[in-house]
Amino acid sequence: MTQEATHDELGEYQGEHHDHGPAKGLTRWITTTNHKDIGTLYLWLAFIMLLFGGAMAMVIRAELFQPGLQFVEPDFFNQMTTMHGLIMVFGAIMPAFVGLANWLIPMMIGAPDMALPRMNNWSFWLLPFAFTILASTLFMEGGAPAFGWTFYAPLSTTFAPDSTDFFIVAIHLMGISSVMGSINIIATILNMRAPGMTMMKMPLFVWTWLITAYLLIAVMPVLAGAVTMMLTDRHFGTSFFDAAGGGDPVMFQHIFWFFGHPEVYIMILPAFGIVSAILPTFARKRLFGYSSMVYATASIAILSFMVWAHHMFTVGMPIAGELYFMYATILISIPTGVKIFNWVSTMWRGSMTFETPMLWAIGFIVMFTIGGLSGLMLGVAPVDTQYHDTYFVVAHFHYVLVTGALYSIIAAFYYWVPKWTGHMYNETHGKIHFWWSTIAVNVLFFPQHFLGLAGMPRRIPDYSLQFAEFNMISSMGGFAFGLAQIFFLYIVVKTIKGGKKASGQVWEGATGLEFEQLSSPPPYHSFTKAPDIKD
Amino acid sequence: MRSPTLKLSLMALLMFGFSFALIPLYDVFVALTGLNGKTGRIEVSAIDPTRVDTTRVIEVRFLANTGSGLPWSFEPLVKKMDVHPGKLYDALYRVRSSTEMPTTGQAVPSVSPGQAAKYFNKTRCFCFTQQYLAGYESRDMPLQFIIDSAISENIEQITLSYTFFIVDKT
């Protein structure tokens, strides 16, 4: 394309040569309606939150390094586990995926921008306020919320610190932001595809995000409802979750997990899309089973609404309920298995090379599968009674969220950062980052399986002596993993500032509109004229 | 461009409403499954005295607890009872306030196993209304119950638990 040639030769930030470049200074970021700027903002927010939530994880692992109480009070420890969970789920993983969606979806479907650019700006700028409100609770009298990220009633109603109201407002803001972002993404995908970009030609990242956005619109309002009920229970005399007034604390868990289970797929479906983009590039083969991937994603999304009570097997449930939720849960492994096999088949007899994004993507497949298998164990009702609320659960969801969701986000960064900035990252640094993180993360989380099976409960600042060795090993892995992400920060900054020039296609085997038809970096306003879609 | 935006916003609003609709739905679910052991209430006139099943004996155990913040001692005067399904029985609980302040409490029942809950009906219960106790007052409170003879053959023992919660904030 013409855009590519001129801009590659100039080798500067192309936006400035167009009629509408970015504004100068800070106002650019506050008033921007450009999908690339907003994507960048989301990604930086996610990174800052990752480091913030990571610092809390370091406090947790430092306290658990040895049995006994060393550094923090038990109540502060509980605040750390609660805030770590909330910040990582709502502040790191979700905004990172929305940031990737903003950057990539318009470029992948040949659209000039998102469908609702001003709302896009607003959905981002709600978040810094939401997280400032949430983080401010740490400095309040009575401390931050300490009831776990699942905020079960009555711990979060009758027995919660005053700062819980700030937490409720923060959740509302995040929910509004997510719902607006999702509406924007769906409107963009449905209305703004270039002529010829049919639904079944869309890259899988676009497909998975379309389905994720529907999930978000369906369940974030339910979460908003749950925190609203908490608020009225706390201050306006209602008894939704208060047994004394005829309410039921177990109902809170049902409502929460009706949100919470689709939420875990919200945090993994876009990851499936990312891996499905990276593997074909470095295996130099088309993705195996494209349409089965689309159907598998949709099946996972639908099933995710029908399995919520597998998080609550121990609350006391009729045996028929346990059986239903157990079988429905295990059913999800079928579409998930379809995906894993399709990825493996994509790599089968491919001309594979192992650049950094490919390493993270393969790391994702291997370790996400480990997390998936421990998830199957947890889904079996009779054995869940033993695993429930132990470190086995902690190990399980960190395998799917850290080595799953986070690994895919880091893979996406390495894969698309040359496209975004026009600079190649340092390949040696990228590989060091991968191997360092991967060894550390397994030292960190693998022993937690054994701790859980041996009976160590989660969310406790102190433990019996027999758990000491594994906890020490786990903590050392934790510190190493934390340090690796500081190294990642260095890589990110260095790549943005400069580096070997990336070509338009970036990778030898890369396909898709963003690689085939745009320069690296792309112009500030790309696809102002709809691209030609090849067959 | 407008129409998906509007439709999707409406969907978000509907789902917010749905989260509140989950509460009556949950009550239906609880009534169907007996989850949480919520008991039923019937009128004496609705009882058919000819349906007493003297061939079966079910052991009923009584438990009593007080929630935090309510300085009452609360206990059943009879700990367990052997009953026939379809027949009306009386039980007594004794409650005593251990504070000089007047206090009000509300008892909340729960039956275990859950499947028995919808067959465990009461014609009279101190849990139907709030109980007011003057300082150091002691009171014997009656309970009249009947187990529906349609209850499953497999159930040979039922535990009835009451928890008194404080009613205050005034």
Side-chain angles (χ1 to χ4, degrees):
Chain A
M1 290 291 284
T2 47
Q3 277 179 335
E4 190 182 328
T6 49
H7 297 310
D8 263 6
E9 283 156 23
L10 287 169
E12 295 167 28
Y13 204 95
Q14 279 80 4
E16 286 162 26
H17 299 279
H18 279 257
D19 41 355
H20 285 298
K24 300 275 177 235
L26 197 63
T27 39
R28 164 182 176 181
W29 300 105
I30 293 170
T31 61
T32 186
T33 53
N34 180 286
H35 74 100
K36 300 183 182 77
D37 283 354
I38 292 172
T40 305
L41 286 170
Y42 265 112
L43 289 172
W44 272 115
L45 176 85
F47 203 167
I48 293 165
M49 287 296 135
L50 178 77
L51 296 177
F52 184 43
M56 293 174 191
M58 294 301 107
V59 174
I60 293 168
R61 282 321 317 173
E63 181 56 54
L64 293 174
F65 191 73
Q66 285 186 317
L69 295 177
Q70 282 88 32
F71 302 105
V72 295
E73 293 295 311
D75 186 53
F76 188 73
F77 183 90
N78 290 342
Q79 294 174 30
M80 286 293 104
T81 53
T82 305
M83 295 290 274
H84 166 76
L86 290 168
I87 296 270
M88 289 306 201
V89 168
F90 295 105
I93 302 294
M94 286 170 68
F97 281 135
V98 181
L100 292 170
N102 264 289
W103 252 107
L104 297 171
I105 287 175
M107 297 203 297
M108 284 177 160
I109 61 172
D113 207 307
M114 298 293 281
L116 308 151
R118 286 170 198 238
M119 196 167 85
N120 203 13
N121 174 292
W122 193 27
S123 11
F124 171 77
W125 279 106
L126 280 176
L127 289 181
F129 293 94
F131 289 105
T132 309
I133 290 169
L134 186 61
S136 71
T137 58
L138 282 166
F139 306 101
M140 286 176 191
E141 212 179 305
F147 32 64
W149 86 275
T150 52
F151 50 100
Y152 281 3
L155 212 49
S156 60
T157 50
T158 317
F159 305 103
D162 292 343
S163 62
T164 306
D165 301 327
F166 286 77
F167 154 84
I168 291 170
V169 172
I171 291 285
H172 270 303
L173 290 179
M174 291 168 206
I176 293 167
S177 162
S178 288
V179 168
M180 288 196 305
S182 303
I183 290 174
N184 207 348
I185 285 167
I186 295 174
T188 308
I189 297 173
L190 294 187
N191 286 341
M192 310 241 324
R193 279 170 289 129
M197 175 61 75
T198 56
M199 291 299 272
M200 290 310 272
K201 264 191 210 160
M202 296 194 309
L204 261 174
F205 180 73
V206 181
W207 255 115
T208 53
W209 241 116
L210 179 67
I211 292 165
T212 303
Y214 275 110
L215 286 183
L216 276 166
I217 291 178
V219 300
M220 288 310 276
V222 175
L223 178 69
V227 293
T228 307
M229 291 175 210
M230 264 171 66
L231 186 77
T232 58
D233 267 15
R234 282 168 59 77
H235 296 295
F236 302 107
T238 59
S239 300
F240 288 110
F241 309 128
D242 186 3
D248 190 339
V250 175
M251 188 179 70
F252 176 87
Q253 298 184 26
H254 282 287
I255 296 176
F256 179 84
W257 286 114
F258 187 82
F259 147 79
H261 200 77
E263 168 70 13
V264 310
Y265 291 104
I266 286 164
M267 293 190 284
I268 205 65
L269 293 184
F272 292 164
I274 291 165
V275 172
S276 304
I278 294 174
L279 286 182
T281 298
F282 297 102
R284 291 164 184 80
K285 273 176 69 190
R286 286 170 65 111
L287 182 71
F288 185 88
Y290 171 90
S291 50
S292 69
M293 286 295 220
V294 173
Y295 298 132
T297 311
S299 325
I300 293 173
I302 292 164
L303 285 173
S304 76
F305 285 100
M306 307 179 186
V307 297
W308 75 91
H310 67 211
H311 296 268
M312 352 176 351
F313 279 142
T314 59
V315 296
M317 202 189 294
I319 199 84
E322 296 213 345
L323 284 173
Y324 161 72
F325 283 111
M326 175 171 97
Y327 288 127
T329 301
I330 290 169
L331 197 61
I332 295 188
S333 62
I334 292 169
T336 316
V338 167
K339 287 182 163 294
I340 306 275
F341 283 112
N342 280 346
W343 288 326
V344 174
S345 307
T346 305
M347 290 189 281
W348 178 251
R349 294 191 165 172
S351 312
M352 291 211 284
T353 51
F354 298 93
E355 285 88 343
T356 306
M358 184 64 162
L359 289 178
W360 288 94
I362 295 174
F364 168 94
I365 295 173
V366 173
M367 288 180 280
F368 176 77
T369 306
I370 294 177
L373 290 175
S374 59
L376 273 178
M377 292 170 71
L378 288 165
V380 178
V383 292
D384 179 74
T385 314
Q386 185 194 342
Y387 306 150
H388 189 84
D389 260 347
T390 68
Y391 257 81
F392 191 82
V393 178
V394 176
H396 157 69
F397 69 71
H398 281 93
Y399 263 94
V400 289
L401 282 177
V402 178
T403 58
L406 181 65
Y407 262 49
S408 80
I409 291 163
I410 297 175
F413 167 82
Y414 283 112
Y415 185 60
W416 279 291
V417 78
K419 170 55 60 187
W420 299 335
T421 63
H423 305 140
M424 286 303 287
Y425 58 87
N426 182 319
E427 190 63 45
T428 316
H429 288 175
K431 287 200 165 109
I432 292 173
H433 179 211
F434 171 76
W435 286 110
W436 182 357
S437 295
T438 301
I439 292 168
V441 86
N442 283 292
V443 174
L444 164 57
F445 293 122
F446 211 81
Q448 294 183 0
H449 289 116
F450 308 133
L451 284 171
L453 292 178
M456 178 170 160
R458 62 191 282 211
R459 294 171 173 154
I460 43 116
D462 188 8
Y463 48 82
S464 308
L465 290 179
Q466 73 266 29
F467 303 130
E469 279 84 4
F470 278 138
N471 268 299
M472 189 177 279
I473 294 168
S474 178
S475 285
M476 289 191 287
F479 302 140
F481 187 73
L483 210 59
Q485 306 328 310
I486 305 289
F487 180 55
F488 182 41
L489 177 64
Y490 164 78
I491 296 174
V492 172
V493 173
K494 192 166 171 288
T495 310
I496 292 170
K497 286 197 161 166
K500 218 174 76 202
K501 278 217 52 65
S503 69
Q505 201 193 1
V506 183
W507 311 104
E508 188 193 20
T511 55
L513 292 182
E514 80 273 31
F515 289 116
E516 287 162 3
Q517 306 213 7
L518 290 174
S519 57
S520 301
Y524 192 58
H525 295 288
S526 46
F527 293 133
T528 41
K529 247 173 55 193
D532 297 324
I533 314 279
K534 289 180 300 182
D535 244 345
Chain B
M1 194 166 304
R2 283 277 140 66
S3 77
T5 311
L6 271 181
K7 270 186 225 153
L8 294 166
S9 315
L10 199 68
M11 186 176 152
L13 275 179
L14 279 176
M15 286 310 291
F16 185 70
F18 177 71
S19 69
F20 288 86
L22 281 171
I23 294 156
L25 282 175
Y26 179 75
D27 283 341
V28 171
F29 176 71
V30 160
L32 284 177
T33 61
L35 189 75
N36 301 331
K38 290 192 177 175
T39 54
R41 176 179 184 173
I42 55 170
E43 297 304 322
V44 183
S45 55
I47 297 169
D48 178 1
T50 62
R51 292 200 56 205
V52 179
D53 183 358
T54 48
T55 59
R56 287 184 65 193
V57 175
I58 296 176
E59 185 184 82
V60 179
R61 291 163 176 255
F62 301 95
L63 286 180
N65 303 290
T66 45
S68 65
L70 190 64
W72 289 6
S73 63
F74 174 44
E75 55 176 357
L77 290 182
V78 179
K79 303 276 187 231
K80 61 179 184 181
M81 218 184 243
D82 288 330
V83 305
H84 296 304
K87 196 174 165 194
L88 207 53
Y89 290 88
D90 288 291
L92 266 187
Y93 281 73
R94 177 165 295 164
V95 63
R96 206 181 80 82
S97 171
S98 47
T99 175
E100 55 183 348
M101 304 284 290
T103 37
T104 307
Q106 167 72 54
V108 174
S110 174
V111 161
S112 177
Q115 297 96 293
K118 64 176 166 183
Y119 302 102
F120 196 98
N121 294 310
K122 283 166 285 189
T123 54
R124 190 146 53 106
C125 179
F126 54 90
C127 60
F128 293 164
T129 54
Q130 296 183 350
Q131 300 293 322
Y132 171 85
L133 289 191
Y136 300 117
E137 189 188 341
S138 177
R139 187 184 301 162
D140 287 351
M141 297 182 305
L143 164 71
Q144 197 174 48
F145 67 91
I146 178 167
I147 296 174
D148 195 319
S149 42
I151 192 166
S152 158
E153 299 275 332
N154 301 325
I155 293 170
E156 292 167 351
Q157 194 182 60
I158 293 176
T159 306
L160 172 65
S161 160
Y162 280 102
T163 305
F164 251 115
F165 289 98
I166 191 165
V167 177
D168 67 340
K169 292 149 193 167
T170 42

